[in-house]
Amino acid sequence: MTVLIVSTPWDWSAEQVANQLRDRGVRYAWLDVGAFPLDLALAAELDDGAWSGGLTGARPVELREVTSVFYRRPSDFTLPAGMSGPERRFARAQARVGLGGILSSLPARWINHPAVLADAEYKPRQLVTASRVGMAVPPTLVTNQAEAARKFAARYGDLIVKPLAEPIVEEAGSHTAVWTRKVIAADLDDLAGVETTAHLFQQWVPKRFEVRLTVVGDRMFPVAIHAGSEQARVDWRSDYDALSYELVECPPDIAGQVADYCRAFGLTYAAFDFVVTTGGRWVFLECNGAGQWGWLAEELDLPIAAALADELTKE
């Protein structure tokens, strides 16, 4: 048995899973695809319907020995300096389909398979799936039309707007996070820029607190997140210093709906975000198939790494 960990070298959460595997005497290999092709070489041969050979670098990987894969957050390929823009685009596409295709075809137990993660990433599909399994979902509008947003606000009152995809803007070597924010009257008067791309607007849901529900197989770890600032009450990720945490019980109906949701997408691991209203109703916001869990495990001593190791070493 060899467990393959696919993530950046500085991934704290992946390191906790590696420690669990090491303590159990389970062999593992750690791979970051960002090392390809400069510091990682690939030689894989198709033999009797399976790939043999492997990857050579700081931590060699023999493909036929891989029984499970913990796929976290690999970095992008590091291509040789001096390549032109068209050359880089071509080389990256070949690396993605070549190395990515080899890895994704391994007959292993995945947490989670890249194709599953890609399928589960689409927020509009998340909302439809959540609704279909019985979860409460806020009224939602996806649009690039200012007038549609104004009409939506007239129907539903206070709104929030948030990114549909990775909430990071990279420019001039720096990174800026784009958080969820409330839409105020002045925003509705001037929605310049809405027409340039798709935006997700939702009805604002007054909350007692939010819940990050981490799912590993059939185990669930629900944590209440209490916001201690106005900024955190809109998006708790924007002000971690203002947060406090406590373990809560997951209502049986929510647990069943979450399990149905994971089955619908084929997710073994998932991080769900809910709002819990003043009346105790759980309202689905989103689900991340590669969401972070390490800080909560550390804050509340949750055995999430052990649960992941259990799943990765199942017979």
Side-chain angles (χ1 to χ4, degrees), residues 49-276:
W51 293 105
S52 61
L55 296 143
T56 54
R59 302 184 182 185
V61 178
E62 174 54 54
L63 296 173
R64 283 190 178 272
E65 295 177 357
V66 175
T67 52
S68 59
V69 183
F70 182 40
Y71 190 87
R72 273 276 300 166
R73 294 170 179 258
S75 55
D76 201 359
F77 302 106
T78 305
L79 300 173
M83 299 176 76
S84 68
E87 288 171 336
R88 295 182 71 83
R89 287 191 292 273
F90 179 84
R92 186 185 182 283
Q94 306 312 302
R96 180 181 65 82
V97 175
L99 176 55
I102 294 292
L103 293 176
S104 66
S105 65
L106 294 177
R109 181 177 183 83
W110 284 80
I111 304 180
N112 290 298
H113 195 281
V116 169
L117 290 174
D119 193 32
E121 180 183 11
Y122 292 99
K123 281 192 173 70
R125 186 170 181 186
Q126 292 182 20
L127 295 167
V128 168
T129 302
S131 182
R132 286 177 176 170
V133 301
M135 297 183 194
V137 175
T140 303
L141 171 72
V142 177
T143 188
N144 74 327
Q145 295 183 320
E147 190 55 32
R150 293 188 185 101
K151 289 179 179 178
F152 190 71
R155 290 171 61 195
Y156 292 107
D158 292 342
L159 304 180
I160 58 93
V161 61
K162 64 182 180 181
L164 282 152
E166 183 69 24
I168 300 294
V169 176
E170 298 184 21
E171 188 173 10
S174 64
H175 299 73
T176 301
V178 181
W179 307 120
T180 299
R181 66 184 183 89
K182 290 189 78 172
V183 179
I184 61 176
D187 296 324
L188 294 171
D189 292 337
D190 181 10
L191 289 170
V194 165
E195 74 281 356
T196 62
T197 191
H199 294 73
L200 188 150
F201 295 90
Q202 280 184 330
Q203 184 181 44
W204 167 255
V205 181
K207 65 191 76 170
R208 284 173 54 203
F209 54 84
E210 295 187 49
V211 168
R212 166 57 65 92
L213 174 58
T214 305
V215 178
V216 183
D218 59 2
R219 300 183 66 182
M220 298 185 184
F221 303 91
V223 175
I225 300 177
H226 298 280
S229 70
E230 286 301 318
Q231 183 179 341
R233 269 187 277 277
V234 177
D235 190 331
W236 54 258
R237 298 169 302 173
S238 66
D239 191 4
Y240 279 93
D241 290 341
L243 304 180
S244 60
Y245 311 97
E246 68 170 331
L247 295 175
V248 293
E249 292 291 328
C250 182
D253 59 331
I254 297 297
Q257 292 159 2
V258 163
D260 289 343
Y261 182 104
C262 289
R263 279 192 291 270
F265 280 110
L267 294 165
T268 301
Y269 168 87
F272 288 81
D273 288 321
F274 291 91
V275 161
V276 178

